[in-house]
Amino acid sequence: MTARVLTRDEARRIIVRAQLLDADRPGDVVEVAEQLGYIKIDPTAVITPCEHTVLWSRIGWSYEAGQLQKAVEIDRLLFEFDGAFRPISLLPLMLPAMRTWPRRESSRQWLEANATFRADVLARLRAEGPLLTSDIPDTAQVDRAPDGWYGRNQVPHMLDFLTRQGEVAIVGREGRHRRWDLAERVYPADMPEYSEGEAAELLAERRLQAAGLAKQKSPWSVVGMAGEPVTVEGSKWRFRVDPAALAALDAGDDDGGRVAFLNPYDSMLFDRPRLSEVFEFDYVLEQFKPAAQRRYGYFAHPILMGDRFVGMLDAEVDRKSGVLQVNAVHEFLPFEAEEHEMVRAELDELAEWLGLPVTGVPER
């Protein structure tokens, strides 16, 4: 069977719709998480932290930060795992692999050497949880060396390991600090059971649902043989497409595009090779570049207009002055008058959502 050939326009529309960045906005936090599969957590708050920017860019003005906290800590419809908020519907598909973690020998050896430490942490959580990391003593027998993420305290290491094994869970946060408890007191008790193979196949389908279109062999979105094979005009890659997304495209189910400012850690930007191949957008995060080497700004947000990336927004919240300061709107090609107004309107929406006046908007 010959794989269907998509035009680049069709491929982009499928991806934009799958990422909930078309004109048909989702209704709430849980709907976004169910479709995207995860909402990245990152504290960099040049405008606002990643998790909130991701949700605002999809839901719009009606999104409030308390809605995310409620979905995680009260309704338990989302859970925090590995630096992201995920829908609880994914947990049963993740548990089979969690039960066989870790597979790296060095991690296994560290856990075995710290069996008493592990038991201490679990016992304290059982007796006193939920607890902050700082509430748990470090009784490690063997230390892991400090790295860029962890210091000398071994408690964060052990909590991370136990979370990956499905024995401990993050129950909520105090500011940016996580609270931990036994997973049995956080996760639902009546979840369906899957074999590791079944779970892997279903996870691949969910990843493809979130991507819409993904390279068949890619470390950025592991979809395997999920969905249907397609090719994209002008590309030699083999792609897989979500059948539901393809059906929507064929049905003409398209509500059109809009302007969206994307946080640099947005899942839409995660697969850089796909961005380049399908969108012809070579995105580089300049956060870690020396200032003199930055072209667009420290934490510039890509501007999506319809199904094309048209520029970069260099803006920041000036907390001392209480304004949204726009340093520059970099246009890849000069905006037409209507495009300029669309970007300006989205800036005004962002400022209103933040509750701040906007300054520095370039005039035409």
Side-chain angles (χ1 to χ4, degrees), residues 181-229:
D181 204 349
L182 298 178
E184 65 194 53
R185 298 201 290 231
V186 181
Y187 296 154
D190 56 348
M191 292 184 291
E193 292 284 340
Y194 297 97
S195 70
E196 195 163 355
E198 291 171 331
E201 288 185 10
L202 291 170
L203 276 173
E205 291 177 4
R206 290 292 294 269
R207 293 190 197 102
L208 185 56
Q209 171 189 305
L213 179 79
K215 189 179 179 183
Q216 188 165 303
K217 293 183 178 180
S218 169
W220 309 106
S221 185
V222 182
V223 300
M225 299 301 289
E228 300 177 13

Side-chain angles (χ1 to χ4, degrees), residues 48-107:
T48 192
C50 179
E51 58 268 30
H52 298 307
T53 315
V54 166
L55 289 164
W56 173 78
S57 65
R58 271 75 178 180
I59 299 169
W61 64 268
S62 64
Y63 169 67
E64 298 177 1
Q67 296 168 359
L68 177 59
Q69 184 177 16
K70 180 176 182 291
V72 175
E73 299 182 17
I74 298 174
D75 299 336
R76 301 278 185 222
L77 296 173
L78 306 182
F79 69 103
E80 182 177 341
F81 183 87
D82 193 22
F85 295 115
R86 304 170 191 269
I88 204 70
S89 62
L90 283 184
L91 182 57
L93 306 182
M94 297 167 61
L95 282 173
M98 291 163 69
R99 290 170 182 146
T100 62
W101 194 93
R103 304 198 177 189
R104 183 179 297 175
E105 184 60 28
S106 61
S107 296

Side-chain angles (χ1 to χ4, degrees), residues 171-186:
V171 71
R173 287 186 173 234
E174 289 186 14
R176 305 303 297 187
H177 300 286
R178 294 169 290 182
R179 295 188 72 91
W180 310 81
D181 204 349
L182 298 178
E184 65 194 53
R185 298 201 290 231
V186 181

Side-chain angles (χ1 to χ4, degrees), residues 269 272 275-277 279-283 302 309 311-312 332:
L269 306 170
R272 299 286 204 273
L275 276 182
S276 180
E277 187 78 359
F279 289 85
E280 299 174 285
F281 175 44
D282 296 316
Y283 176 55
F309 288 93
M312 302 286 285
F332 295 156

